[in-house]
Amino acid sequence: MSGDMAAEARPDAIAFTINGRPVAVAAAPVTRLADVLRDELGLTGTKIGCNAGDCGACTVLLDGRQVCACMVAVGQAEGRAVTTVEGLAEGTELNALQAAFRRHGAAQCGICTPGMLMAATDLLARNPAPDRAQVMDALGGVLCRCTGYIKIVEAVLDAAGADNTVEPAAGAAVGASISRIDALAKLTGTDPFAADAIPADALWLRVVRSPHARARFAVGDLEPFLAAHPGLVRVMTAEDIPFNGHGINPAIKDQPVLADGVVRYRGEAVVALVGERTAVAAIRDEELPIHYEPAEAVTDVATATKEDATLVQEDKSGNLLIEGYVTRGDTEGALGQCAAVAEGDFETAYVEHAYIEIEAGWARRVGERLELHVTTQAPYMNREEVANILRISEDRVRIVPTACGGGFGGKLDVHLHGVLAVAAMATDRPVAAVYDRPESMASSTKRHPSTIHARLGCDRSGILQAMEMEADFNTGAYASFGPTVASRVPVHASGPYKIPNQRARGRAILTNGPPAGAFRGFGVPQAAIAHETLIDDLAEKLGIDRLELRIRNALRH
């Protein structure tokens, strides 16, 4: 723990016990307890996912009762007892609750695990023999995006003696589970996530983002601005980026690391402030000499595909990024011969990934190499992107993937990677950044909104004969996984069914919305909504059981 002795010497230090040990911290009484635990005492097992009391990742015990540490001022802990996940294990052994979590595989990504353990500890102390409903109620303040809660609830019931499931050891029976190799670290709060192991001497980086969905802008003289803000080391603009383009598609690098005179969606990165943490955090966006000239934004596919639509990217005619086709047989003729045809229009919206761990990372220069510690799902693709941005060879870039607190496809794209890498190479200092939840939601990729028209036909016995689908996907301002979605959806348009005649088209359309990327299925769930609904409609028209119709048409090989 850092700073305890120095704090004890100060008469205004706030004293309390943490995991049974007395501490005193010299922090403003209104400082969030979560920040004191992590930044002053080094107890990073307490996670921060929202700083709003919504996700529960920061749950700790205050005098034995669960609280969200992000919503408790450290002054409220004066003279009281705080328990964090680091205080649960009995010496070097997991306690009964942690051991139950390990047996049941209740820790997956692990970002919510400390909060779940603390909430369950509170419950079991008050009620040693809870039923399932009581367990679910007690854990209701801690969100999980991985497990579906079942294994977590079963683990708590197991610890309470209510779950009598016999689980054979790995190798002792067919299907016996193997304990996760990282379970111990996740259950004790020692597994380092991207925001947990930032060097003490790191500079901090904050991205300044566009308040407009579409605008031209100019950055004024930055020298007076730098002089007026002690602790600010530099302000990075597009001119500082060796190659100012990235994109997960090998052939398309259309998204700038920092916008170069044009912003194409609200939340796009414009400049980056690098300096001491308190100095960078204190600067208001309005203080920067950035002049915007807003213009009317193209916000949806219908507007973007009009004949006179404004182009989001000037070289993409009709705002069409890419399209994909699948054709087989005589679809129109077959539909005309069908005994029943179902037809419909379907529309889906943006969906936020809502991973509990927000984007974070830090980078440092090691000789002539760049080392980047980051939350990611794709370290090798990240290495290619960072090397390309820096204009150096890939063997000079090392990506260190930290524990990833949920991704679901959203952490396949780069987020902080490029700007951190450039800043670390330029300053020859470690440079770190951690988004807050609003910034994550403003800047991260989403599931593609879609507009789909489809027709599906079958004969009198319910055997599918033909399908037609036109699917437009709003890929936002930049490509991301738009090409993958546009080409994959036509392939999956027919679902797991045999259809001899098919015509399907998928289009990725550019708009002034946030980039849409990978999200568990790459457009396939949107298409499934259409074809599964139409199958239900056919079943109703023919008086055939819905499941039976699906069985008759399911692919066999």
Side-chain angles (χ1 to χ4, degrees), residues 9-210:
R10 291 184 51 169
D12 59 344
I14 298 168
F16 55 97
T17 64
I18 181 74
N19 299 327
R21 173 182 174 178
V23 297
V25 295
V30 296
T31 306
R32 297 176 193 265
L33 177 59
D35 292 338
V36 169
L37 293 174
R38 292 177 55 83
D39 300 336
E40 302 297 325
L41 301 177
L43 297 171
T44 56
T46 298
K47 307 304 180 187
I48 296 176
C50 67
N51 261 341
D54 294 327
C55 74
C58 67
T59 298
V60 300
L61 302 185
L62 184 61
D63 287 341
R65 301 302 295 266
Q66 62 171 302
V67 297
C68 286
C70 75
M71 299 299 287
V72 174
V74 70
Q76 294 176 276
E78 175 80 42
R80 302 172 74 179
V82 177
T83 307
T84 71
V85 67
E86 289 91 345
L88 292 185
E90 300 166 351
T92 58
E93 298 293 326
L94 297 179
N95 71 9
L97 178 62
Q98 291 168 307
F101 267 59
R102 185 174 190 171
R103 284 194 300 276
H104 286 268
Q108 289 197 17
C109 84
I111 196 72
C112 76
T113 302
M116 291 289 183
L117 287 167
M118 303 317 297
T121 298
D122 173 23
L123 168 67
L124 296 177
R126 292 182 287 106
N127 181 1
D131 59 27
R132 184 175 292 270
Q134 290 169 324
V135 172
M136 294 174 68
D137 183 62
L139 301 181
V142 185
L143 301 182
C144 174
R145 284 282 282 118
C146 297
T147 71
Y149 301 96
I150 293 175
K151 292 181 180 295
I152 297 171
V153 173
E154 290 176 347
V156 178
L157 291 170
D158 185 355
D163 187 332
N164 297 315
T165 302
V166 176
E167 298 184 356
V174 175
S177 297
I178 298 175
S179 178
R180 291 180 63 109
I181 60 173
D182 57 353
L184 182 64
K186 294 184 185 301
L187 292 166
T188 56
T190 58
D191 201 8
F193 290 81
D196 293 345
I198 294 170
D201 63 339
L203 296 172
W204 281 75
L205 181 147
R206 180 168 71 84
V207 177
V208 176
R209 300 185 177 278
S210 169

Side-chain angles (χ1 to χ4, degrees), residues 447 473 485 488-489 492-493 520-529 531:
R447 187 185 292 282
F473 291 86
V485 168
R488 183 173 292 186
V489 166
H492 291 270
R520 285 186 167 177
F522 298 85
V524 177
Q526 295 94 309
I529 290 172
H531 66 64

Side-chain angles (χ1 to χ4, degrees), residues 197-204 275-276 362-364 427-432:
I198 294 170
D201 63 339
L203 296 172
W204 281 75
E276 301 302 324
W362 61 277
R364 66 182 175 186
T427 61
D428 201 16
R429 290 271 303 276
V431 180

Side-chain angles (χ1 to χ4, degrees), residues 401-428:
T402 62
C404 184
F408 322 118
K411 291 176 182 172
L412 287 170
D413 275 281
V414 302
H415 41 86
L416 284 162
H417 307 54
V419 70
L420 279 178
V422 174
M425 292 296 273
T427 61
D428 201 16

Side-chain angles (χ1 to χ4, degrees), residues 51-398:
N51 261 341
D54 294 327
C55 74
C58 67
T59 298
V60 300
L61 302 185
L62 184 61
D63 287 341
R65 301 302 295 266
Q66 62 171 302
V67 297
C68 286
C70 75
M71 299 299 287
V72 174
V74 70
Q76 294 176 276
E78 175 80 42
R80 302 172 74 179
V82 177
T83 307
T84 71
V85 67
E86 289 91 345
L88 292 185
E90 300 166 351
T92 58
E93 298 293 326
L94 297 179
N95 71 9
L97 178 62
Q98 291 168 307
F101 267 59
R102 185 174 190 171
R103 284 194 300 276
H104 286 268
Q108 289 197 17
C109 84
I111 196 72
C112 76
T113 302
M116 291 289 183
L117 287 167
M118 303 317 297
T121 298
D122 173 23
L123 168 67
L124 296 177
R126 292 182 287 106
N127 181 1
D131 59 27
R132 184 175 292 270
Q134 290 169 324
V135 172
M136 294 174 68
D137 183 62
L139 301 181
V142 185
L143 301 182
C144 174
R145 284 282 282 118
C146 297
T147 71
Y149 301 96
I150 293 175
K151 292 181 180 295
I152 297 171
V153 173
E154 290 176 347
V156 178
L157 291 170
D158 185 355
D163 187 332
N164 297 315
T165 302
V166 176
E167 298 184 356
V174 175
S177 297
I178 298 175
S179 178
R180 291 180 63 109
I181 60 173
D182 57 353
L184 182 64
K186 294 184 185 301
L187 292 166
T188 56
T190 58
D191 201 8
F193 290 81
D196 293 345
I198 294 170
D201 63 339
L203 296 172
W204 281 75
L205 181 147
R206 180 168 71 84
V207 177
V208 176
R209 300 185 177 278
S210 169
H212 306 289
R214 180 167 173 254
R216 295 191 177 276
F217 72 93
V219 179
D221 186 0
L222 291 171
E223 290 302 322
F225 177 78
L226 279 165
H229 292 86
L232 181 62
V233 173
R234 68 184 297 161
V235 180
M236 294 172 50
T237 68
E239 294 180 358
D240 296 301
I241 312 300
F243 179 76
N244 195 22
H246 66 87
I248 207 71
N249 187 286
I252 306 175
K253 306 299 176 187
D254 63 342
Q255 185 168 356
V257 176
L258 294 172
D260 190 3
V262 177
V263 289
R264 296 184 174 89
Y265 71 97
R266 184 180 179 187
E268 183 162 6
V270 177
V271 301
L273 309 177
V274 183
E276 301 302 324
R277 187 175 188 179
T278 54
V280 167
I283 296 171
R284 294 179 292 109
D285 290 2
E286 297 77 21
E287 297 179 60
L288 282 149
I290 304 175
H291 175 67
Y292 292 98
E293 296 179 4
E296 187 175 355
V298 178
T299 58
D300 55 66
V301 167
T303 303
T305 53
K306 288 181 179 178
E307 188 173 341
D308 59 347
T310 301
L311 297 182
V312 176
Q313 296 187 28
E314 293 182 359
D315 62 336
K316 297 296 187 296
S317 177
N319 287 315
L320 175 65
L321 174 67
I322 198 168
E323 59 186 337
Y325 290 92
V326 167
T327 60
R328 180 187 182 189
D330 178 10
T331 302
E332 194 63 36
L335 284 169
Q337 299 297 315
C338 286
V341 175
E343 184 171 4
D345 293 292
F346 307 87
E347 187 172 342
T348 66
Y350 283 112
V351 180
E352 168 68 24
H353 289 86
Y355 26 72
I356 304 300
E357 182 204 23
I358 43 185
E359 293 84 352
W362 61 277
R364 66 182 175 186
R365 185 172 188 160
V366 182
E368 292 303 309
R369 301 183 72 207
L370 185 283
E371 181 178 284
L372 176 62
H373 298 245
V374 68
T375 177
T376 178
Q377 294 176 263
Y380 285 97
M381 287 192 287
N382 292 169
R383 184 177 69 162
E384 295 174 5
E385 290 295 301
V386 171
N388 195 39
I389 289 166
L390 293 176
R391 280 298 193 234
I392 61 177
S393 59
E394 289 182 25
D395 61 2
R396 290 177 56 194
V397 175
R398 181 188 179 203

